[in-house]
């Protein structure tokens, strides 16, 4: 493709969309092409900031006619960098930012460009919530098509369990309303099957009454004994309690003594979906595991768990994700020993293990009801490293996987939203057995030419 042809066709694209097209010659191109992981430095041929579903359809048609690969950007948090692409067309849905709340009907329609934090604060003004993850800057569309695991998952289920409908643009430009009665094969696939079936432009969610929680951060010293006990309590806790357990060196936070900075701690983010009277007997055993270094648990609205992030924070990180049956004392010793060793590596700014107790409402949904296929596992785990430069990333992968697989102890599976490798090697971990085959059949029906392949997706059946 010559530069003259490229310029002309991009002018054609500008003429047929209501949104904005950014090319390398435009002053805002550098900002438009960025994703959260800034070390993933790709240069698309163009970025189109779409204004509606019709713009998405036009962008898809343009890309196909010009032989351009497509990437879709919303929150831009894909660890594999799937929100951008060299020499291709990025469809940026951040302009799809409308939120329509039906307070009486307990539902909300939301544009695919809305972040989890903005949505949570908007519906939280009415004492309502939909469970997303734990980071306010992620896009609601991306986290939803991956499954969605967060503080309310044990109480109400995953994000996909609250999804009522989506508006989706297919590879051939159709703008579809997709729900349990309309294109049910697509509706099954987008609930955990990723972004390989079309571009989601709007989503409808069920809302739950969550007028108050008791939540925040609890930090304890990390030893093998405290980690094992903390996880024992978390897995046995009532469904109302959502916990994310981070074992890591203590960051230099101003509210605890400087002598603890850099020491291995349990930094637990906790949210009890209820009031203080009910929360206290549930939280007290956690506080008794060891003398807290910091105890910031307090009554708050659920939206209080989604504080504004630091826009300048873009760590160079990598990780390995999997599942486990439990975390016993031997597992905890391995975590402590491995992280202590890694903390001595000058290229590693942070080494951490994140443990997410699951179960509850997640496990009460049939395994084949959605394309998320790992509902039976009690623990989701992530081993992670933040490094000083991108050239140190590959050196971390062996120990991250070794530690992760040791903790998993044969438990299969991987969570789509946390897989950072773009090579597709873990596709059958994400989508095992019959789930993969069913997704491949849906892919063949709706995207037989594999237009949407710049993500963790299955190949069309028969390909």
């Amino acid at each position: 493709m010559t530069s003259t042809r490229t310029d002309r066709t991009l002018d054609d694209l500008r003429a047929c969309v209501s949104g904005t097209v950014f090319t390398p010659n435009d002053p805002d191109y550098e900002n438009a092409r960025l994703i959260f992981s800034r070390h993933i430095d790709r240069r698309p041929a163009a970025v189109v900031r779409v204004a509606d579903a019709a713009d998405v359809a036009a962008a898809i048609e343009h890309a196909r006619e010009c032989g351009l690969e497509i990437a879709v950007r919303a929150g831009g948090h894909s660890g594999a960098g799937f929100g951008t692409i060299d020499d291709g067309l990025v469809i940026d849905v951040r302009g799809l930012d409308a939120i329509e709340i039906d307070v009486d009907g307990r539902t909300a329609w939301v544009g695919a460009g809305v972040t989890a934090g903005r949505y949570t604060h908007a519906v939280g003004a009415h004492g309502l919530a939909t469970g997303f993850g734990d980071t306010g800057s992620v896009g609601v569309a991306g986290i939803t098509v991956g499954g969605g695991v967060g503080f309310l998952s044990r109480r109400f289920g995953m994000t996909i369990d609250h999804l009522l409908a989506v508006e989706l643009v297919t590879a051939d430009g159709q703008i579809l309303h997709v729900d349990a009665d309309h294109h049910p094969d697509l509706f099954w696939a987008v609930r955990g099957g990723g972004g390989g079936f079309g571009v989601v432009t709007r989503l409808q969610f069920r809302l739950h009454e969550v007028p108050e929680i008791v939540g925040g951060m609890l930090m304890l010293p990390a030893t093998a004994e405290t980690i094992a006990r903390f996880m024992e309590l978390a897995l046995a806790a009532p469904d109302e309690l959502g916990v994310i357990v981070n074992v890591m060196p203590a960051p230099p936070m101003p509210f605890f003594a400087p002598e603890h900075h850099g020491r291995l701690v349990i930094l637990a983010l906790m949210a009890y979906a209820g009031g203080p009277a009910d929360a206290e007997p549930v939280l007290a055993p956690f506080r008794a595991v060891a003398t807290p270094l910091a105890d910031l648990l307090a009554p708050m609205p659920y939206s209080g768990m989604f504080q504004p992030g630091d826009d300048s924070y873009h760590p160079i990180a990598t990780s390995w994700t999997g599942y486990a049956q439990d975390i016993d004392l031997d597992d905890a010793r391995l975590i402590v020993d491995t992280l202590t060793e890694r903390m001595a590596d000058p290229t590693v700014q942070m080494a951490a293990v994140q443990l997410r107790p699951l179960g509850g409402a997640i496990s009460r949904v049939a395994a084949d009801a959605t394309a998320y296929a790992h509902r039976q596992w009690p623990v989701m785990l992530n081993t992670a490293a933040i490094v000083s430069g991108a050239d140190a990333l590959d050196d971390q992968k062996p120990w991250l996987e070794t530690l992760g697989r040791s903790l998993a102890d044969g438990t299969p599976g991987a969570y789509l939203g946390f897989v950072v490798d773009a090579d597709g090697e873990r596709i059958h971990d994400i989508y095992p057995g019959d789930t993969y085959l069913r997704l491949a059949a849906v892919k063949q029906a709706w995207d037989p030419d594999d237009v949407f392949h710049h993500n963790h997706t299955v190949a069309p059946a028969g390909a």
Side-chain angles (χ1 to χ4, degrees), residues 68 178 216 227 239 254 275 299 318 329 425 432:
L68 297 174
V178 176
I227 295 168
D239 294 353
T318 188
L329 189 58
E425 286 189 5

Side-chain angles (χ1 to χ4, degrees), residues 263-429:
R263 293 187 178 182
L264 210 59
V265 298
I266 298 170
L267 193 159
L269 301 174
M270 311 179 75
Y272 181 89
D278 294 329
E280 179 54 34
V282 176
L283 297 175
F286 292 93
R287 289 172 162 135
V289 169
T291 302
L293 303 175
D295 184 348
L296 303 182
L297 300 176
M300 64 175 71
Y302 175 61
S303 59
M305 298 298 292
F306 292 80
Q307 295 299 314
D310 180 357
D311 290 339
S312 67
Y313 181 64
H314 299 281
I316 302 172
T318 188
S319 63
W320 188 90
T321 185
Y323 296 91
Q325 300 287 353
D326 60 13
I327 299 295
D328 61 20
L329 189 58
D330 287 339
D331 293 324
R333 289 193 183 102
L334 180 61
I335 292 171
V336 171
D337 290 345
T338 303
L339 295 185
T340 300
E341 177 185 353
R342 286 295 134 187
M343 286 162 58
D345 183 343
T347 67
V348 177
Q349 295 181 340
M350 178 78 73
V353 172
Q354 184 183 88
L355 306 166
R356 295 180 181 236
L358 303 178
I362 299 171
S363 61
R364 291 192 288 271
V365 176
D368 61 354
T370 65
Y372 176 80
H374 308 291
R375 293 181 179 271
Q376 71 273 41
W377 306 132
V379 180
M380 180 184 292
L381 64 91
N382 291 289
T383 56
I386 298 174
V387 295
S388 56
D391 56 349
L393 286 173
D394 287 343
D395 292 339
Q396 313 310 315
K397 293 180 181 180
W399 76 263
L400 291 171
E401 181 172 351
T402 297
L403 175 58
R405 291 195 183 280
S406 296
L407 298 176
D409 193 23
T411 305
Y415 177 59
L416 171 65
F418 293 148
V419 174
V420 301
D421 298 317
D423 55 18
E425 286 189 5
R426 302 204 69 192
I427 196 72
H428 291 284
D429 293 333

Side-chain angles (χ1 to χ4, degrees), residues 92-114:
D92 184 338
V93 301
R94 284 178 290 176
L96 307 180
D97 59 357
I99 301 175
E100 303 167 19
I101 305 169
D102 180 352
V103 175
D104 294 333
R106 296 293 188 267
T107 63
W109 275 101
V110 54
V114 174

Side-chain angles (χ1 to χ4, degrees), residues 171-192:
D172 60 359
Q174 297 183 68
I175 301 173
L176 302 179
H177 176 93
V178 176
D179 60 21
D181 298 317
H182 304 88
H183 313 294
D185 58 338
L186 272 176
F187 189 54
W188 175 85
V190 299
R191 287 177 293 161

Side-chain angles (χ1 to χ4, degrees), residues 5-94:
R5 176 59 181 163
T6 301
D7 291 342
R8 185 163 63 85
T9 56
L10 290 175
D11 286 341
D12 292 342
L13 178 60
R14 286 189 175 95
C16 63
V17 298
S18 302
T20 305
V21 178
F22 303 96
T23 66
N25 295 325
D26 296 321
D28 292 328
Y29 169 82
E30 290 299 322
N31 182 61
R33 72 182 181 88
L34 295 176
I35 59 173
F36 179 76
S37 297
R38 297 294 166 83
H39 62 282
I40 300 176
D41 186 22
R42 297 174 185 154
R43 302 190 67 81
V47 177
V48 55
R49 183 79 53 81
V50 296
D52 53 28
D55 276 4
V56 174
I60 293 170
E61 180 181 7
H62 170 85
R64 298 194 68 175
E65 288 182 352
C66 297
L68 297 174
E69 293 195 33
I70 293 173
V72 181
R73 188 205 194 283
H77 277 261
S78 166
F82 288 143
T84 186
I85 189 169
D86 278 326
D87 303 320
L89 180 66
V90 174
I91 298 176
D92 184 338
V93 301
R94 284 178 290 176

